[in-house]
Amino acid sequence: MTHPEIPGTTLFDGQQAMRGYALNKMCYSFNEAVNRQAFLQDEDAYCAKYSLNPQQREAIRERNVLKLIAAGGNVYYLAKFAGIFGLDVQDIGAQQTGMSKDAFKAMLVEQGKQ
Amino acid sequence: MANIVGAITTSHVPAIGRAIAKNLQTDPYWKPFFDGWPPVHRWLENVKPDVAVVFYNDHGLNFFLDKMPTFAVGAAPEYPSTDEGWGIPQVPPFEGEQDLSWHLIESLVGDEFDVVSCQEMVVDHAITLPLALMYPSQAWPLKIVPVCINTVQFPLPSAKRCYALGEAVGRAVRAWKSDARVVVLGTGGLSHQLDGERAGFINKDFDLAFMESLLHDPRWATQFDSKQLVEKAGTQGIELLMWLAARAALGERVSAVQSYGGFTESRGVGTNLFNLGVAPSGRNVSETGIVAPAAEGVLAARFGSRSGSGRGPPSFSRSPRQRSSGTVRAARTIAKTMPESNGATLRTRPTPTTAPEPSVKVAP
């Protein structure tokens, strides 16, 4: 069955899984505190250890969620990267939609009222 | 043979874990949510399940993309809760019911569900939170068997397949040579999306229709393929597959449901109580199943903010006694709306009836 694209949505399929393998593997490592600490101590070295490609390295440097997704990141793993900086799913949502966090929350409220 | 006593389905909103850890259950901001659980606690106290079969989705804790099973069944003696990377508190480990694990694996593979078996497995908030909501002391009085369904990497199993898996699990549990009382859990959903420009997507109409379908037409969602479900419920809303599997495991014996639900600024919270017409134990209909929906992204948003504190108390409404066709014998909806909500309620189809008052009593 063919499907029209879902706007603003990247399905994490085999292509994305291959593209983002190194990036997601690094983010998966952030389940462990010692690895989160190692990243913070030397970000370049940590990214090099996981052989991130330039696109992934740049997206990590910018802490840019949409670019991380474009580079193959999966949100379940990216959440562990965001967690290093104390960011929650609202912060991530606000960043991806170009809203302030308050505006993002307000958007959620509106949807609940519809 | 083992006895399935009912099913509970709930969202696994990470923010709930932080609220539990900080003892905020009676905080005005959190109280409306936690107040939904005492009826579940009374039910659990009455039914005393010995084992929980938990349909859940791993969030990149136990499984990485190196090996990503579509269906995996835990067969471990113990399931530790470990660091998930973003600060949710850990809980005491869960004891595994290995005899049921291997019985399930044998039975499912025999049924042509070629599951992966896992003798070591760590569990994340999709298991720890629902169990912590059910048993606030976190002194777990039951053993578990996790059944993990992939929602991380496409292709995902279809809703139809997940429903069939749930049915097969239900058959297997009932054939298990044990006198154990087994509760089935399904955790995740409802509509939400964390990633992409569509982050924050919520589909209230779909959530309501889905919840309604669990009572009257449980196969309704199986008409949709995975991409259609993502379109309707969001990339993470597809976790509703867990609810489908849990509901399917109950079989056709569900005869009544009680539910309460409301929509917060982002998503809904509620509890549905499924009743079996005649429970195998001969007990009455009050000892059956519960479905406690609470949508994730919504609640994360709703409860992640302090802005809701100090608002008015939740309002309650109660639908008339209802009677439904088929095997559905009686249903009542207790709707509970959260502060800041628009008062949306989750209702079963009301049909005036002179049927006896259902024996189920759930205090608001």
Side-chain angles (χ1 to χ4, degrees):
Chain A
M1 187 183 291
T2 59
H3 290 272
E5 289 293 307
I6 304 169
T9 302
T10 302
L11 293 181
F12 189 78
D13 60 8
Q15 288 298 318
Q16 287 296 102
M18 285 192 291
R19 181 176 296 134
Y21 193 79
L23 171 62
N24 290 315
K25 189 168 182 177
M26 183 179 83
C27 292
Y28 180 68
S29 78
F30 296 144
N31 277 315
E32 294 182 42
V34 62
N35 293 333
R36 299 193 292 272
Q37 197 56 39
F39 175 88
L40 288 171
Q41 280 175 355
D42 191 342
E43 183 171 327
D44 277 332
Y46 203 84
C47 291
K49 178 181 165 188
Y50 281 87
S51 303
L52 266 53
N53 66 31
Q55 181 190 9
Q56 293 164 343
R57 180 67 191 95
E58 190 55 29
I60 285 284
R61 185 176 288 114
E62 294 182 22
R63 281 81 166 117
N64 184 307
V65 180
L66 289 176
K67 288 185 180 177
L68 286 163
I69 291 170
N74 175 287
V75 73
Y76 288 132
Y77 303 106
L78 295 179
K80 300 169 193 298
F81 172 61
I84 293 177
F85 310 103
L87 301 176
D88 62 23
V89 294
Q90 291 180 15
D91 295 303
I92 292 174
Q95 188 197 84
Q96 293 176 99
T97 53
M99 299 180 186
S100 69
K101 193 170 181 179
D102 284 343
F104 183 74
K105 288 184 196 172
M107 181 267 282
L108 294 173
V109 174
E110 279 309 305
Q111 290 189 88
K113 289 177 180 172
Q114 283 167 11
Chain B
M1 296 297 131
N3 175 19
I4 294 181
V5 295
I8 298 170
T9 64
T10 182
S11 152
H12 45 237
V13 189
I16 293 171
R18 299 190 190 101
I20 291 172
K22 293 177 182 171
N23 285 316
L24 298 177
Q25 291 92 336
T26 57
D27 180 281
Y29 187 77
W30 284 99
K31 192 171 184 300
F33 174 77
F34 284 97
D35 278 356
W37 283 86
V40 182
H41 299 154
R42 287 194 289 275
W43 180 81
L44 289 168
E45 209 164 294
N46 189 22
V47 175
K48 290 186 170 52
D50 307 299
V51 186
V53 174
V54 190
F55 292 100
Y56 83 108
N57 58 293
D58 180 74
H59 300 70
L61 182 68
N62 189 68
F63 295 113
F64 180 59
L65 303 172
D66 57 338
K67 306 170 191 71
M68 182 55 67
T70 298
F71 298 132
V73 177
E78 184 178 89
Y79 301 93
S81 153
T82 61
D83 189 350
E84 296 187 45
W86 36 263
I88 192 170
Q90 291 161 236
V91 303
F94 301 92
E95 188 176 352
E97 175 47 86
Q98 287 179 288
D99 189 52
L100 178 57
S101 288
W102 285 107
H103 170 77
L104 275 185
I105 292 163
E106 289 274 356
S107 180
L108 289 171
V109 173
D111 237 345
E112 301 181 349
F113 288 91
D114 303 319
V115 298
V116 169
S117 58
C118 305
Q119 287 203 63
E120 289 188 47
M121 202 176 202
V122 293
V123 294
D124 67 16
H125 62 281
I127 286 186
T128 62
L129 278 182
L131 269 296
L133 286 166
M134 289 163 62
Y135 302 106
S137 72
Q138 299 185 12
W140 317 123
L142 78 183
K143 300 179 182 180
I144 70 169
V145 177
V147 180
C148 185
I149 299 178
N150 166 38
T151 60
V152 173
Q153 175 182 283
F154 275 74
L156 310 184
S158 70
K160 184 181 172 189
R161 188 65 171 159
C162 291
Y163 195 92
L165 175 74
E167 289 181 308
V169 166
R171 283 194 299 273
V173 170
R174 290 186 195 94
W176 180 38
K177 289 176 181 151
S178 164
D179 59 2
R181 298 168 70 81
V182 180
V183 64
V184 182
L185 310 185
T187 91
L190 291 174
S191 66
H192 65 299
Q193 177 155 339
L194 304 179
D195 50 335
E197 293 89 345
R198 202 172 75 138
F201 171 79
I202 293 165
N203 189 343
K204 183 169 146 183
D205 288 343
F206 182 81
D207 287 344
L208 289 168
F210 175 64
M211 288 188 59
E212 166 83 6
S213 76
L214 289 180
L215 174 62
H216 296 285
D217 184 13
R219 288 178 180 79
W220 174 76
T222 65
Q223 69 183 292
F224 304 115
D225 68 27
S226 297
K227 290 178 182 174
Q228 289 171 322
L229 285 174
V230 167
E231 185 177 20
K232 291 174 186 303
T235 43
Q236 282 70 49
I238 199 159
E239 293 170 347
L240 63 81
L241 295 175
M242 316 304 144
W243 291 40
L244 268 185
R247 173 62 187 84
L250 291 183
E252 304 295 334
R253 299 182 302 163
V254 172
S255 64
V257 66
Q258 280 201 242
S259 68
Y260 69 85
F263 277 79
T264 68
E265 63 193 43
S266 47
R267 233 166 292 177
V269 294
T271 299
N272 293 333
L273 172 56
F274 285 104
N275 290 317
L276 307 183
V278 179
S281 63
R283 294 166 189 260
N284 72 22
V285 296
S286 66
E287 298 178 275
T288 49
I290 295 174
V291 171
E296 178 166 289
V298 173
L299 279 179
R302 166 65 175 80
F303 292 115
S305 152
R306 302 298 302 165
S307 63
S309 299
R311 301 294 179 91
S315 61
F316 296 92
S317 64
R318 201 178 278 241
S319 69
R321 265 182 290 150
Q322 298 156 20
R323 184 183 179 85
S324 302
S325 60
T327 58
V328 179
R329 201 170 69 187
R332 178 195 293 172
T333 300
I334 300 172
K336 173 181 177 181
T337 54
M338 303 289 287
E340 301 178 300
S341 84
N342 65 341
T345 59
L346 305 168
R347 292 184 185 284
T348 54
R349 291 174 193 143
T351 307
T353 179
T354 55
E357 180 78 14
S359 63
V360 181
K361 303 288 183 192
V362 178

